[in-house]
Amino acid sequence: MATVALHSLSSLEKLPPDDPASLIIGRDAAVTRVAHHAERAAQVECTILVTGETGTGKEVWARLLRRLGPRRDQAFIPVNCAALTPTLAESQLFGHERGAFTGAAGASLGVFRAAHKGIVFLDEVGDMPLELQPKLLRVLQEGEVTPVGSPHPVKVDVQVIAATNRRLEVEVAEGRFREDLYYRLNMVELRMPPLRDRVADIPLFIDYFSRKFAKRYNQPAWQPSDAALRSFCEYRWPGNIRQLS
C-alpha cells in the first residue's frame, strides 16, 4: 500500500519542483491527520471533498490522491466549475450526440466519459450552476451520464474528487447548493488548514521556496533575518501557501 509522509526538507530537495508531493511539508498535527485520511480514502476510491481557503493546496492534494490510489495510471481531468455555464456545461461534462444542437457536427464524449476508469477533479464545486447539480448527483448515485441528444444513459466508472473554498453547509442552507449532492460529495472530507494556523511550518515553507526559486533563477537562496522571519510568522497570509510562494 502506498503511504503518505510529511517529507523532510532533505527529501524534498530531490523532488522535481512540479511534483505534487513537494508541498506536503510541515510538522502541523492537522496536516498529519489529513495525510492519514487521504491515504485511506485514496485506496477505497470513494468520493472525496477537499475543503479549505484559497491557496491552501487543494488541487495539489487532489493530484496526490490520484498517485496514492489504484487509478494512478488512468486519466485525471480537472474541471473549473466556476467557469461552467448552464448552456454549454451539460455538453462539456456529459457529452452530446451528433446533431444534438446547432453546431454539433460530431459526437463528443464529455469529461466524465473521457475519464472512464480515471478521476474527475471538480474544482470550486460550490460554484457549479444549480441546474447542473441534479445531473452530477446522478453520476455519483447511479454511475451513469446521459449525453445531450441521447435517449439512453451511459455507464461510467469514475472517481470524483471535489474541492471548494466555500462552506457548502452554508450554501445548502441558503438554497444555492443541493443538500443531497452535498452529502454525496462529502463521503470523506479533507479540510486543509490555513497557513495562519500552521505558524510553525512557515519557516519550512520559506526555506523550501527559497531553495526552489534560487535554483530556478540561479541565485543564492534567500535567508531571512530574525526580524523578517518574525514578520512572516505574524502575518495572516490571506492567500495562504500560494501567496507565500
Side-chain angles (χ1 to χ4, degrees):
M1 178 183 293
T3 58
V4 178
L6 297 184
H7 297 277
S8 66
L9 288 175
S10 59
S11 64
L12 276 171
E13 289 168 357
K14 301 173 185 176
L15 295 171
D18 59 349
D19 190 312
S22 66
L23 284 184
I24 312 296
I25 63 177
R27 304 187 181 102
D28 185 77
V31 181
T32 304
R33 288 193 295 271
V34 169
H36 290 313
H37 290 314
E39 177 185 0
R40 298 164 97 179
Q43 291 300 316
V44 298
E45 303 178 73
C46 62
T47 303
I48 301 168
L49 180 63
V50 187
T51 61
E53 296 177 7
T54 296
T56 50
K58 295 186 291 296
E59 184 168 353
V60 171
W61 280 91
R63 292 184 180 276
L64 183 62
L65 284 162
R66 176 204 185 191
R67 290 174 53 183
L68 293 170
R71 299 175 187 250
R72 64 180 63 87
D73 297 321
Q74 304 299 323
F76 179 94
I77 301 182
V79 178
N80 180 3
C81 295
L84 295 174
T85 59
T87 52
L88 297 176
E90 186 174 359
S91 171
Q92 292 173 331
L93 294 177
F94 311 119
H96 63 256
E97 297 297 314
R98 180 179 179 182
F101 50 84
T102 302
S108 170
L109 286 176
V111 166
F112 281 95
R113 285 194 290 171
H116 186 61
K117 300 292 186 183
I119 296 172
V120 173
F121 173 54
L122 299 175
D123 196 15
E124 303 304 344
V125 72
D127 294 315
M128 175 171 279
L130 200 57
E131 303 92 315
L132 289 173
Q133 293 178 23
K135 301 179 188 300
L136 174 58
L137 181 63
R138 186 163 187 84
V139 175
L140 297 175
Q141 287 182 330
E142 308 296 337
E144 62 185 29
V145 300
T146 301
V148 178
S150 172
H152 305 295
V154 179
K155 286 291 184 182
V156 291
D157 175 9
V158 295
Q159 181 184 11
V160 172
I161 301 174
T164 183
N165 60 12
R166 295 179 180 269
R167 292 178 58 195
L168 290 187
E169 62 272 22
V170 174
E171 299 295 304
V172 168
E174 296 181 355
R176 292 189 293 268
F177 203 83
R178 290 180 61 108
E179 184 176 27
D180 47 5
L181 177 57
Y182 169 58
Y183 288 119
R184 272 287 172 177
L185 288 172
N186 196 22
M187 294 180 68
V188 173
E189 180 180 1
L190 302 180
R191 188 181 295 273
M192 303 296 111
L195 188 57
R196 63 181 172 274
D197 291 344
R198 303 176 58 186
V199 174
D201 288 340
I202 289 176
L204 299 178
F205 280 109
I206 291 174
D207 188 68
Y208 171 67
F209 287 126
S210 296
R211 292 170 183 266
K212 173 182 175 180
F213 292 117
K215 183 177 181 180
R216 176 180 298 180
Y217 299 113
N218 195 28
Q219 296 290 326
W222 178 63
Q223 298 290 335
S225 65
D226 290 343
L229 184 58
R230 184 164 55 252
S231 295
F232 270 63
C233 291
E234 291 173 351
Y235 184 61
R236 299 292 289 171
W237 297 108
N240 292 291
I241 299 170
R242 184 182 299 134
Q243 182 185 6
L244 176 58
S245 171

